[in-house]
């Protein structure tokens, strides 16, 4: 009877340990998957042409000296990014900058204005797959819309031009550049014509 009992105890012990081992493996796999997803979302949040809806905010504060000593301009840019899938290979990404501006004693002492500035929508046509070197890029048109609620907060001109973005994300790093140029395309004839270049390198 002792031999019979020993024969059946070993398989029973093996069956008892298996579920615990499987549960540990499943928990480890779930943790790894969650960490990988978190890392991907972190990278995508730094990518202006990622296939995800995002709502970044950017705050800029400028204080002046010289002829405008004491003057300041605060600008909060609300920048919704919305991707659209065109086909298996290409995406269209809409990126719009909506500025909320507060100007104090600028452009002249005693003149303080607050409100909405000119909105600049951009459209990027972007390949879904990076290049062989890991580069992600997109290009398309950028527009200037005369949406300022007060004349001093905007150009009072329509505008149009090209925009391009290129970035790479090796390991934990993200680096690249966003650029555009806008030419005036009509609007208030009494205002100075628009011809503006914007360059934004980034490193994270």
């Amino acid at each position: 009877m002792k031999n019979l009992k020993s024969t059946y105890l070993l398989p029973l012990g093996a069956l008892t340990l298996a579920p615990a081992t499987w549960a540990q493996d499943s928990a480890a796999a779930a943790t790894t998957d969650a960490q990988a997803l978190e890392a991907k979302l972190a990278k995508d949040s730094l990518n202006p042409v990622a296939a995800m809806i995002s709502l970044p905010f950017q705050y800029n504060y400028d204080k002046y000296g010289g002829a405008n000593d004491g003057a300041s301009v605060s600008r909060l840019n609300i920048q919704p990014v919305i991707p659209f899938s065109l086909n298996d290979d290409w995406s269209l990404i809409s990126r719009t900058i909506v500025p909320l501006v507060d100007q104090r004693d600028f452009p002249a002492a005693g003149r303080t204005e607050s409100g909405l500035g000119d909105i600049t929508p951009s459209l990027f046509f972007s390949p879904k797959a990076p290049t062989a070197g890991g580069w992600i890029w997109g290009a398309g048109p950028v527009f200037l819309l005369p949406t300022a609620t007060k004349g001093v907060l905007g150009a009072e001109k329509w505008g149009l031009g090209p925009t391009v973005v290129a970035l790479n994300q090796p390991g934990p790093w993200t680096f690249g550049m966003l650029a555009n140029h806008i030419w005036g395309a009509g609007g208030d004839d009494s205002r100075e014509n628009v011809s503006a270049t914007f360059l934004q390198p980034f490193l994270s």
Side-chain angles (χ1 to χ4, degrees), residues 15-173:
L15 289 172
T16 303
L17 291 173
T21 303
W22 177 83
Q24 290 173 354
D25 291 343
S26 297
T31 301
T32 301
D33 290 345
Q35 290 172 341
L37 178 59
E38 183 178 350
K40 183 180 184 304
L41 290 175
K43 279 194 169 185
D44 285 349
S45 69
L46 300 172
N47 179 359
V49 290
M52 64 179 291
I53 296 175
S54 61
L55 186 61
F57 291 81
Q58 181 187 68
Y59 177 75
N60 299 302
Y61 177 79
D62 295 313
K63 193 168 181 65
Y64 296 86
N68 296 108
D69 189 31
S72 65
V73 177
S74 297
R75 182 183 298 266
L76 176 64
N77 289 331
I78 304 170
Q79 304 175 132
V81 178
I82 304 174
F84 302 91
S85 178
L86 299 179
N87 53 40
D88 291 341
D89 300 318
W90 289 86
S91 294
L92 174 66
I93 293 90
S94 166
R95 181 178 183 267
T96 303
I97 299 178
V98 182
L100 302 178
V101 187
D102 179 53
Q103 296 185 170
R104 299 190 175 274
D105 295 319
F106 186 86
R111 187 166 188 179
T112 296
E113 303 285 358
S114 298
L116 175 68
D118 290 340
I119 294 175
T120 52
S122 299
L123 296 174
F124 296 93
F125 294 90
S126 177
K128 291 184 177 180
T131 67
W135 285 95
I136 301 166
W137 64 275
V142 59
F143 306 92
L144 175 66
L145 309 181
T147 55
T149 51
K150 298 178 181 178
V152 72
L153 301 180
E156 295 192 344
K157 291 280 189 179
W158 297 88
L160 175 67
T163 184
V164 63
V165 63
L167 67 143
N168 207 317
Q169 296 184 306
W173 294 95

Side-chain angles (χ1 to χ4, degrees), residues 181-194:
H181 186 88
I182 297 177
W183 290 280
D188 188 341
D189 292 336
S190 67
R191 299 292 294 268
E192 184 178 353
N193 198 24
V194 174

